[in-house]
Amino acid sequence: MQLTQRQLKQFIYAGLVGDALDVPVEFKPRDSYRIDAMLGFGTYDQPAGSWSDDSSLTLCLMENLTENGSMVTLFDKMLAYMTTGKYTPNHELFDIGNATRRAIFNYSKGVSPLECGDCSEFANGNGAIMRIAPLAIILLTEKDFKKRSTMIREYTILTHAHERSVIGSVIYVELLRELLLGTELTVVLGTLQQRLQLVGFTEVELAKYQCIFDQDFGKLPRAAIKSSGYVIDSLAAAIWCNLVAHDFQEVTLLAVNLGEDTDTVAQLAAMINVSQKLETVIPDQWQQALIIPPEIHTIITDFTEKFGD
Ligand SMILES: [Mg+2]
C-alpha cells in the first residue's frame, strides 16, 4: 500500500501545523493561555506560522530518505540546521534540545553516527520522537516487525540512545504505520504492547509505558495528563488527545492548550490524528499561515513524489 501524494502531503502538513500553532506558547504553564489560531511571537519572538526544531529535524530526515542518504548525510543535515539555520522557516535557529545538540556536536568531532546519542536515563526527552514520523511512510510495506524496530532504533539512537527513547519511537512509528494502514486507534493500542515484547526490550522499560495501554487511559481527566518534554509524557499526552477528541482541529487545540512542551505534543497528536483519516482537511487558515520557504517546499514535494502514488 502506498499513500497518494495528496495524502502524504496532509500527513506532513499536519505535523507542521501542530508544531507551529504552539511555538508562541511553548513552555508556558497549563491554563496560562488559550490558543485557537495561528499566532506569532511569544516564547521565541517568531512570526506567525513559524515551526520549530521538531519540523526542522523531520525535514532533515525527509530529505535524507528522498536522497537515499546514510546516517552520515543525515547528521550533515542536522549539523547544517544547528550551525547555519538551514531547514528553518526564517533561516534562523531558535530552538534545539540539549541531547540533540550534544549528539550533533559529537558527530562534528568525528564520533561515528550510531555512537553519538546520549544513553543516559536522564536523556529521555522528546528530541528523537519529534523527528522520526517519516519512518512510518518508509516502513508501510515492511511486514517484518523486527526489521521495522531495528530501523526505528537506529534512527532514534543517533541522538537518544537510552532504551526508553527507543521504545517511545517504536510505539509512535508503529502506531502511525498501523493507523495509516487503516487499523483503529484502540485496536492498535490493544495489540502493540504484546508485539513490543518480541524484540527484546526489558520488562522494566516496557512497564514505563503501561499507562497508554490501559483500557481506561482515554477516560483519565486532563489533570492526570502530563505534557512535559519527557518522551513518555509527550507521547502519552498526544495519544490521550486522540482518545478524547476526534476532529483534527479539536485534537490539535486540545494538545496545544495542555501547556509546557506543547509544540511536540501537538505535532505528535496532529500526526496521530491525520494518520487515522487521511482525507482530514487541515483548516485552510492554519495551513496557509505556515511559513514555507521555497527550499522547504522542494523537500516536501520531492518526498511526496518519491514515496506517494
Ligand atoms: Mg520544538
Side-chain angles (χ1 to χ4, degrees):
M1 180 222 175
Q2 215 174 4
L3 305 185
T4 65
Q5 290 185 31
R6 193 182 159 278
Q7 290 173 327
L8 204 40
K9 210 172 155 190
Q10 285 279 306
F11 178 77
I12 296 160
Y13 273 86
L16 284 159
V17 160
D19 180 1
L21 276 168
D22 187 74
V23 165
V25 291
E26 190 178 356
F27 304 127
K28 290 205 171 161
R30 185 171 296 182
D31 297 329
S32 66
Y33 63 90
R34 174 88 205 157
I35 290 270
D36 60 6
M38 196 74 85
L39 305 176
F41 308 101
T43 304
Y44 298 105
D45 201 25
Q46 297 291 311
S50 299
W51 29 271
S52 74
D53 53 344
D54 308 50
S55 299
S56 294
L57 295 166
T58 302
L59 286 158
C60 290
L61 176 58
M62 281 169 48
E63 187 181 63
N64 203 55
L65 291 168
T66 304
E67 294 170 352
N68 288 327
S70 64
M71 296 307 189
V72 167
T73 58
L74 178 55
F75 255 120
D76 286 338
K77 295 176 196 306
M78 296 197 289
L79 181 61
Y81 163 67
M82 188 170 90
T83 55
T84 70
K86 202 177 170 190
Y87 308 101
T88 61
N90 307 304
H91 308 103
E92 176 198 358
L93 174 98
F94 64 89
D95 186 19
I96 187 165
N98 291 331
T100 302
R101 186 201 313 261
R102 281 196 301 273
I104 297 172
F105 183 73
N106 287 341
Y107 170 72
S108 74
K109 295 291 169 203
V111 178
S112 99
L114 296 179
E115 304 290 323
C116 286
D118 192 334
C119 55
S120 152
E121 187 183 354
F122 302 101
N124 278 313
N126 54 23
I129 205 169
M130 67 163 68
R131 62 174 167 79
I132 55 161
L135 294 183
I137 304 300
I138 308 309
L139 293 171
L140 266 184
T141 53
E142 175 54 68
K143 295 206 163 43
D144 185 334
F145 174 58
K146 286 188 180 169
K147 284 188 188 160
R148 297 199 300 271
S149 63
T150 299
M151 184 177 182
I152 298 163
R153 178 182 177 278
E154 286 186 356
Y155 278 93
T156 299
I157 66 170
L158 298 178
T159 55
H160 292 67
H162 190 270
E163 187 185 3
R164 200 170 305 161
S165 285
V166 175
I167 295 173
S169 291
V170 172
I171 293 173
Y172 178 54
V173 174
E174 284 293 303
L175 191 59
L176 294 180
R177 178 181 176 275
E178 291 275 329
L179 296 173
L180 289 167
L181 290 170
T183 314
E184 295 259 335
L185 177 58
T186 50
V187 175
V188 185
L189 291 172
T191 54
L192 186 52
Q193 193 176 22
Q194 218 172 7
R195 213 181 315 152
L196 292 171
Q197 291 162 350
L198 302 175
V199 286
F201 291 127
T202 61
E203 287 298 325
V204 167
E205 288 300 324
L206 285 176
K208 305 266 184 203
Y209 286 90
Q210 182 58 43
C211 69
I212 63 175
F213 298 112
D214 288 342
Q215 269 195 337
D216 289 340
F217 181 52
K219 293 183 186 147
L220 287 181
R222 181 173 177 260
I225 303 301
K226 296 177 189 159
S227 45
S228 78
Y230 177 42
V231 62
I232 298 178
D233 288 352
S234 298
L235 179 60
I239 293 171
W240 179 83
C241 290
N242 277 279
L243 289 170
V244 301
H246 301 287
D247 167 70
F248 180 83
Q249 191 161 340
E250 209 186 324
V251 165
T252 312
L253 291 180
L254 183 61
V256 166
N257 287 302
L258 282 177
E260 296 187 53
D261 204 346
T262 28
D263 66 328
T264 301
V265 176
Q267 182 222 35
L268 301 178
M271 301 202 86
I272 292 170
N273 186 265
V274 82
S275 298
Q276 295 174 70
K277 39 194 174 183
L278 283 160
E279 303 312 321
T280 295
V281 178
I282 301 168
D284 273 351
Q285 68 273 27
W286 289 358
Q287 195 161 330
Q288 281 159 17
L290 287 173
I291 298 173
I292 307 287
E295 69 278 11
I296 300 299
H297 185 262
T298 302
I299 293 173
I300 295 171
T301 305
D302 290 351
F303 183 83
T304 54
E305 283 179 359
K306 175 154 182 175
F307 297 106
D309 241 345

